[in-house]
Amino acid sequence: MALTKITKFICLICFFVFVSIHLYITRMTPNPYDGKVFYRLGLECQNKCSLNKQLAYFRKAVFYDPNLSDAYDQLGAIYNKEGQYKQKIKSYQRVVQLDHTNAEAFFNVGLYYLQKGELDYALRYLLQSNRYRPGSDDTFYYIANAYDQKGMYEKAAFYYITLIIWRSPRSQEVCERIWTISKISGQQQMVLDRLWIAMRDAGMYPVWEQIDQYIKTDRYPNLWDKSIAPAMIKLTK
């Protein structure tokens, strides 16, 4: 009789231990559904809660669903606001692993590598960003800057010239850099030819005619100060 009671007691303890372990494992195992719930809570919280509370929701979202790229994207934006740049880049790096079409994430990672001087990585991410968000002024500028730093002046000139045609707010700075590139590389003719063709095709005839005249007469020394710079400044106004 006593043995039966002891056996029942041991069995009862084993049952409770088993149930407790099962509940613990169930609770600690990430559930993608829970991740989406926390992600939605984070979005709803954006205009009502502090950044720390939003951060907590999105962190829980990626804990329960490590493949939720949108949550990593939100984390990157919050880390950027808080000035936590290492965490920001880690978040965006995770985004580009999961979502190969997120142009903003590719841009942020590319800019990070550009600032570190890792130009090949910078170009890889910036060009991918441009693929999914063509026509971005910032992306074209930093692609040009990366090629410029690598000494690939012909490619840099292409992107810089495109910015001028788009009447970029950076046009004056870009014009100065194009002219500097042409002198450093000794390729003034190539750079001017590119400008000439691009502006002709874009219908910028007054500027095109000025450049055409200088190309034909080879009056390069005064070209920047007397012709291109004033014309470019007018284009940006």
Side-chain angles (χ1 to χ4, degrees):
M1 187 74 173
L3 185 61
T4 305
K5 286 183 179 180
I6 292 171
T7 303
K8 287 182 178 179
F9 180 72
I10 292 171
C11 289
L12 191 62
I13 290 174
C14 290
F15 173 76
F16 280 117
V17 169
F18 173 79
V19 170
S20 298
I21 292 172
H22 176 73
L23 289 173
Y24 176 79
I25 292 172
T26 302
R27 186 176 179 183
M28 294 306 293
T29 301
N31 185 332
Y33 174 76
D34 292 336
K36 290 178 176 61
V37 170
F38 281 113
Y39 174 72
R40 189 165 60 252
L41 288 171
L43 291 180
E44 291 171 357
C45 183
Q46 282 182 327
N47 298 323
K48 307 171 188 175
C49 313
S50 66
L51 288 178
N52 284 338
K53 192 162 186 180
Q54 293 175 45
L55 201 59
Y57 279 130
F58 291 124
R59 278 175 173 168
K60 286 180 180 178
V62 298
F63 171 77
Y64 285 108
D65 187 354
N67 297 318
L68 193 56
S69 64
D70 289 342
Y72 284 105
D73 201 24
Q74 293 295 333
L75 283 172
I78 293 171
Y79 286 131
N80 185 51
K81 289 177 184 176
E82 292 193 331
Q84 297 185 47
Y85 296 113
K86 286 185 179 179
Q87 293 299 324
K88 164 191 165 182
I89 294 304
K90 284 182 180 178
S91 297
Y92 283 130
Q93 284 174 326
R94 185 64 178 147
V95 174
V96 299
Q97 289 173 355
L98 297 168
D99 180 3
H100 302 304
T101 64
N102 191 314
E104 185 65 21
F106 276 106
F107 174 78
N108 278 289
V109 177
L111 189 56
Y112 167 75
Y113 281 119
L114 183 63
Q115 290 167 345
K116 286 185 67 179
E118 297 184 29
L119 303 177
D120 290 330
Y121 282 113
L123 282 167
R124 179 189 302 178
Y125 286 100
L126 290 170
L127 288 168
Q128 190 77 346
S129 175
N130 184 60
R131 179 182 176 187
Y132 293 107
R133 187 178 56 188
S136 165
D137 186 279
D138 285 341
T139 306
F140 256 63
Y141 175 78
Y142 289 114
I143 289 172
N145 188 272
Y147 279 127
D148 195 347
Q149 290 188 53
K150 281 174 68 70
M152 300 173 70
Y153 297 123
E154 190 168 347
K155 287 189 174 182
F158 166 79
Y159 284 96
Y160 282 139
I161 289 168
T162 304
L163 286 169
I164 292 171
I165 294 168
W166 289 348
R167 293 170 169 79
S168 164
R170 295 187 173 99
S171 287
Q172 187 171 348
E173 173 194 348
V174 167
C175 285
E176 292 173 0
R177 189 59 202 158
I178 287 173
W179 190 239
T180 302
I181 282 175
S182 73
K183 290 190 285 188
I184 291 172
S185 62
Q187 295 179 313
Q188 286 138 313
Q189 186 69 48
M190 179 275 291
V191 172
L192 289 171
D193 285 347
R194 287 282 183 84
L195 276 169
W196 180 79
I197 292 168
M199 291 183 178
R200 178 198 63 192
D201 293 345
M204 299 180 178
Y205 291 105
V207 182
W208 164 44
E209 288 169 359
Q210 287 180 335
I211 293 173
D212 186 43
Q213 179 185 354
Y214 275 89
I215 290 173
K216 287 175 181 175
T217 57
D218 289 329
R219 289 188 291 171
Y220 291 129
N222 297 320
L223 176 61
W224 166 254
D225 292 330
K226 293 186 178 179
S227 177
I228 295 182
M232 295 303 174
I233 291 167
K234 287 179 184 178
L235 285 173
T236 62
K237 292 182 179 178

